[in-house]
Amino acid sequence: MRDKRRQRLHRHRQARLRRLRVLKSVRSLRFWTRVTVALFVLLCIAFWARFAFVYDIPSVVQGDLPPGVMAYVTVKPWWFGPPVFDLGQYVPEKVDGASVYDPSEMFLMNLGRYSAVVEQPQFIWTLQR
């Protein structure tokens, strides 16, 4: 009888230890998942705050950039501005029905305070042709 009772207690103890190990690993997994998500969110905020993705680079600007660059990531001189720039939308076609005399000047004027992403880019990553 004592042997059976001892075996039963031993099985219960082992089962309890297994449950505790599983619970500990789940808690650890939950902790590291939260840490990973928090770091990802911080990384997204840092990218939005300080970096800009520039694409659809028109021929007006190609002379100022290294040859073959289709898109790039640059450091913005300001904080928390727009993180994505589609430069194609800033290209002037015609102003009041007349063609533009200096398209590069008009392009920079259309960019306004965000012209630094084209005039003085600090390349972090570039996509070449």
Side-chain angles (χ1 to χ4, degrees), residues 63-78:
D64 299 338
L65 299 174
V69 173
M70 291 176 53
Y72 59 90
V73 174
T74 183
V75 177
K76 298 184 285 193
W78 63 88

Side-chain angles (χ1 to χ4, degrees), residues 76-87:
K76 298 184 285 193
W78 63 88
W79 286 85
F80 296 104
V84 178
F85 287 92
D86 176 8
L87 294 183

